[in-house]
Amino acid sequence: MPPHPTIALDAMGGDIGPAVVVAAAEIARVRYPELHFQFFGDEKAIASELDHWPKLQTVTTVIHTDEVVLGTDKPSQALRRSRTSSMGLALNAVKEGAASAAVSAGNTGALMAMAVFALRTLPGIDRPALASLLPTLRAESVMLDLGANTQCTATHLVEFAVMGAAIARTMLGQRRPRVALLNIGVEEMKGTEPLRDAAAQLRASPDLPLEFIGFVEGDQISSGDIDVIVTDGFSGNIALKTAEGTAKLIAGLLKNAFQSSLWTKIGYIFAQAGMQALRDHLDPNNHNGAVFLGLNGIVVKSHGGANAVGFASAIGMARDLVMDNLAERIAQDIALVQAIPAAEALSVGGR
Amino acid sequence: MPPHPTIALDAMGGDIGPAVVVAAAEIARVRYPELHFQFFGDEKAIASELDHWPKLQTVTTVIHTDEVVLGTDKPSQALRRSRTSSMGLALNAVKEGAASAAVSAGNTGALMAMAVFALRTLPGIDRPALASLLPTLRAESVMLDLGANTQCTATHLVEFAVMGAAIARTMLGQRRPRVALLNIGVEEMKGTEPLRDAAAQLRASPDLPLEFIGFVEGDQISSGDIDVIVTDGFSGNIALKTAEGTAKLIAGLLKNAFQSSLWTKIGYIFAQAGMQALRDHLDPNNHNGAVFLGLNGIVVKSHGGANAVGFASAIGMARDLVMDNLAERIAQDIALVQAIPAAEALSVGGR
């Protein structure tokens, strides 16, 4: 680990661009004085934001490019600008060792395609996955895959379990994270064949650095009883978005409830501090940062609508994963997966 | 429609049994004076509950059986007691025309298997589906399938769209319900092949009594912009349970927020009425009742943990669907589906 790990920042991604990304880097600089930063994007726009933060300038380089991957670009279009766009250049800096991690708030599909193209998957990893932290009643949990892989085999799910556990050790500080497969029931015979096969393989692998819990249903995702929830990208995306929608629904109802009468409005004035704590706990900016797992390098995706605090959380996630040598640890753990017997050799329930 | 439609009630299903089911029937009798009831289960236990409600006794018959389908029974075990258990006898009453609908709070998988066995699917329906009402910011929406069919073809999804629209016309009073397919993005090329094919077929079918919106993501389920959300049973179950879990998470955080200081506790006292309205809007007892669609008869599943008000909602749902001739209307609409060109004949996006 270099004494001053460098984080490559795509300054042009997200809804706002350089203003948010530069302000976020300043927050991260104060939190993590060891970090250096590389900004990729419009030099003028970045420089005018850096003018506000003289100390940040001393640990920063700016690499100019006019080209930007748009939110509407298809992955195939974005790939054509791998070597010229701000997103592509940030990923390239990781590939060439100039930076230890890249962070972008740009187009997810494009970032995924370009990250795989630039960094390639780790040996033994079939498919990279997108993982994120979610708020729970206790603290946070890790969920993956969140949309990178629509359909998954048992092998993919087992790889996701191992990679998710590696993240949970770093981000949640759990030595032996509790890992579960998302399913429509907890009984062994429930769900699809890849799920049942993956469960059989994980049950047969006590040497993996995780505790396999079995199946959980959607209502357990936010319970805090599970550290890592493993699912295919289709179900993961549905679950994540449904949770967001439900939170928005209840926030709307709560607002109506507080505005329904003079009494409830007075109630809000008294309860304000508690409500703020609730909002903070659920604020996506405080859980921001999804990581592409299984690549030769660390790539973190920030929410496109994140503010500076949110983007700084994503930088913090990248920094923690760099300090913990995530990519190397995943490579080691995946080597253990190779030793798991194939599903056909195990007695799989429900067949 | 008979002047006094009879609802067959499995008195032994659910966590509590006769006490809840009989009290629920009394609530339903007051709301819908035209209804008659048949109770199936332990005669003594039912009679002792009926003692509280003399008026209910005048519109009620009790059919005794000792046998009960347990929550732990597999569908195959339950099927063996099709002709002897309280659940099986209630379904049989619908089959033989003695009742117009059956309501049970018992084991979902067993109820599904026994309902299909007793009532058979409507002509042109490949697979029955489980549909339910969900709270949204405006009112309610219908979602299906919620777990009856783990994997679905495009044809199944189209059938679900038509059946869901039929329910929405009755339950939401929408003449031309807005129907969408749940997906991981709104663009035409997103998602799985069955989803893309089903979308192409629905787009090519302007004669169906519904307005096809296209794809929606999970965060739109509770927006109130869509009347019917169509999905396979795996994703539907994940979405439903995730929404439940998120609501529970926020309720827990809200409780903590109100208890965090003296001020917030005072705030709660003032805001209490508003909070009660919020709780009522989200209370599953007020949205209780899932219906098995596509059968020759109406079968409503109540939540196993429902109270008398909740079970009465499920009876109300059964009554509304009977009065609206749901099964006949679905049979008519499904005839229109037969005229849709096969997916291969349509230009399907994303191929």
Side-chain angles (χ1 to χ4, degrees), chain A residues 82-287:
Chain A
S82 283
R83 287 166 211 284
T84 50
S85 61
S86 59
M87 189 187 276
L89 290 171
L91 293 166
N92 230 44
V94 178
K95 178 187 177 185
E96 292 174 357
S100 301
V103 183
S104 173
N107 182 328
T108 310
L111 185 60
M112 171 79 172
M114 290 167 83
V116 173
F117 177 75
L119 301 174
R120 304 288 161 187
T121 51
L122 287 165
I125 295 278
D126 216 40
R127 299 250 205 114
L130 185 61
S132 185
L133 295 179
L134 302 177
T136 73
L137 201 48
R138 292 182 202 165
E140 289 181 309
S141 63
V142 172
M143 187 155 85
L144 76 167
D145 174 45
L146 295 178
N149 308 285
T150 308
Q151 279 161 316
C152 293
T153 64
T155 307
H156 298 145
L157 294 170
V158 170
E159 290 173 10
F160 296 172
V162 169
M163 296 195 289
I167 289 271
R169 289 204 299 283
T170 301
M171 300 302 294
L172 310 181
Q174 299 280 6
R175 216 172 50 81
R176 221 179 139 74
R178 291 155 300 176
V179 176
L181 291 164
L182 187 63
N183 200 344
I184 59 172
V186 298
E187 303 85 1
E188 269 188 37
M189 83 279 189
K190 285 277 184 179
T192 60
E193 197 172 307
L195 275 169
R196 292 193 299 265
D197 287 351
Q201 289 188 294
L202 287 167
R203 265 192 296 269
S205 316
D207 293 342
L208 291 178
L210 56 87
E211 186 189 341
F212 180 59
I213 303 290
F215 296 137
V216 287
E217 297 188 66
D219 56 353
Q220 289 297 305
I221 293 173
S222 51
S223 68
D225 296 338
I226 318 291
D227 299 314
V228 181
I229 295 114
V230 175
T231 172
D232 65 88
F234 192 91
S235 305
N237 184 288
I238 297 283
L240 183 71
K241 294 280 173 68
T242 301
E244 282 177 17
T246 308
K248 217 180 289 175
L249 164 67
I250 300 179
L253 294 173
L254 200 53
K255 201 175 150 194
N256 293 348
F258 274 122
Q259 289 178 345
S260 59
S261 74
L262 180 60
W263 297 119
T264 58
K265 283 179 192 169
I266 294 172
Y268 181 72
I269 295 170
F270 281 100
Q272 224 162 5
M275 291 306 126
Q276 191 55 47
L278 169 64
R279 261 196 297 270
D280 288 347
H281 190 95
L282 294 175
D283 186 347
N285 280 305
N286 295 330
H287 310 274

Side-chain angles (χ1 to χ4, degrees), chain B residues 42-214:
Chain B
D42 184 275
E43 196 167 20
K44 263 196 182 161
I46 296 168
S48 90
E49 296 297 331
L50 277 172
D51 279 349
H52 306 309
W53 319 107
K55 283 189 184 163
L56 181 60
Q57 291 174 30
T58 64
V59 293
T60 287
T61 48
V62 178
I63 295 99
H64 175 77
T65 176
D66 286 329
E67 289 204 38
V68 173
V69 171
L70 301 176
T72 51
D73 283 352
K74 290 191 183 162
S76 54
Q77 294 173 299
L79 276 174
R80 273 175 241 137
R81 275 173 289 155
S82 282
R83 287 167 211 283
T84 50
S85 61
S86 60
M87 189 188 276
L89 289 172
L91 292 167
N92 229 42
V94 178
K95 179 186 176 186
E96 292 173 356
S100 301
V103 183
S104 173
N107 184 331
T108 310
L111 184 61
M112 171 78 174
M114 291 167 81
V116 173
F117 177 76
L119 301 174
R120 304 287 161 188
T121 50
L122 287 164
I125 295 278
D126 216 41
R127 298 252 206 113
L130 185 60
S132 183
L133 294 180
L134 302 176
T136 75
L137 200 48
R138 294 184 200 162
E140 289 180 310
S141 62
V142 172
M143 187 155 84
L144 75 166
D145 174 44
L146 296 177
N149 307 285
T150 308
Q151 278 161 315
C152 293
T153 65
T155 307
H156 298 144
L157 294 170
V158 170
E159 289 173 10
F160 296 172
V162 169
M163 296 195 291
I167 287 271
R169 289 206 296 283
T170 301
M171 300 302 293
L172 310 181
Q174 298 281 5
R175 213 173 51 81
R176 217 177 143 74
R178 291 157 300 177
V179 176
L181 291 164
L182 186 62
N183 200 343
I184 60 172
V186 297
E187 302 85 2
E188 270 188 35
M189 82 278 188
K190 286 278 183 176
T192 60
E193 198 171 305
L195 275 170
R196 291 194 299 265
D197 288 350
Q201 289 187 293
L202 288 167
R203 264 193 295 270
S205 315
D207 292 344
L208 291 178
L210 55 87
E211 186 188 341
F212 180 59
I213 303 288

